[in-house]
Amino acid sequence: MQWRNTSERYGVVTLCMHWAVAFAVFGLFGLGLWMTGLDYYSPWYQTAPSIHKGIGMLLLGLMVLRVVWRLSTPAPDGLPTHGRMTRLATRLGHAFLYAVLFAVMISGYLISTADGRPVSVFGLFEVPATLTSLPRQEDVAGLVHEYLAWALVVFAAIHALAALKHHFIDRDTTLLRMLGRS
Ligand code: HEM
């Protein structure tokens, strides 16, 4: 088991971060859809949003670590069977996923802190409000958060389908590498 990526394999840290983020993104999306439909008398009316925000802030921290880790240990080389267009599409797709993930998390933070209150992360610590005076901050950040969350899950689903296509149709090791095998 190796911690860092090599030119051929993903290391265990990248693998854990990739799957933790994937799980959190789909989980937060489902939780977000469900909680926005709750009525005031539901016992989850306050608990669900605070879980959503707590996990969202932890995910933001994890993504900052992931970017630092990514810069310190580059991804493995593309497979020799991948042509120039596939490599370019992969690179652009991954960059898009990183960018939209950050935009979704930052817009969520701006909704929660628009009134100047910090975000409590499961009562363990608080993330303070910083920007609070953007015009109609809560509404605008809310719309951005909702639309970009949809864009993120749709694109992540396309990304997952591409990985399955590599595995079942092209029969290459793209998916196996992300599962820690080669
Ligand atoms: C919200 C969900 C997901 C996000 C945000 C996401 C994001 C990413 C990112 C950013 C990378 C590039 C890693 C790097 O080099 O830094 C990556 C790679 C990869 N992901 Fe995902 N992913 C998600 C879900 C999935 C799922 C569900 C699958 C499979 C069914 C999958 C399969 C892969 C594979 C195979 C690679 C490696 C591609 C390669 O080496 O060319 N991902 N993912």
Side-chain angles (χ1 to χ4, degrees), residues 10 18-19 21-22 25-26 66 70 75 90 94 97-98 101 152 156 159-160 163-164 174-175 177-178:
Y10 283 103
H18 175 268
W19 292 111
V21 170
V25 165
F26 286 116
R66 185 170 177 186
R70 176 75 165 73
T90 303
H94 292 169
L97 282 169
Y98 276 113
L101 255 165
L152 177 61
H159 163 80
L164 294 175
T174 304
L175 180 58
R177 285 206 307 190
M178 219 358 130

Side-chain angles (χ1 to χ4, degrees), residues 43-100:
W44 289 96
Y45 187 74
Q46 292 198 334
T47 318
S50 78
I51 294 173
H52 185 83
K53 290 185 233 176
I55 298 176
M57 287 300 102
L58 292 176
L59 183 61
L60 179 56
L62 179 62
M63 280 304 296
V64 171
L65 290 179
R66 185 170 177 186
V67 169
V68 172
W69 183 253
R70 176 75 165 73
L71 294 174
S72 81
T73 172
D77 299 334
L79 296 176
T81 48
H82 290 176
R84 257 189 50 200
M85 285 315 286
T86 306
R87 283 166 198 239
L88 182 67
T90 303
R91 223 180 273 160
L92 290 177
H94 292 169
F96 182 79
L97 282 169
Y98 276 113
V100 180

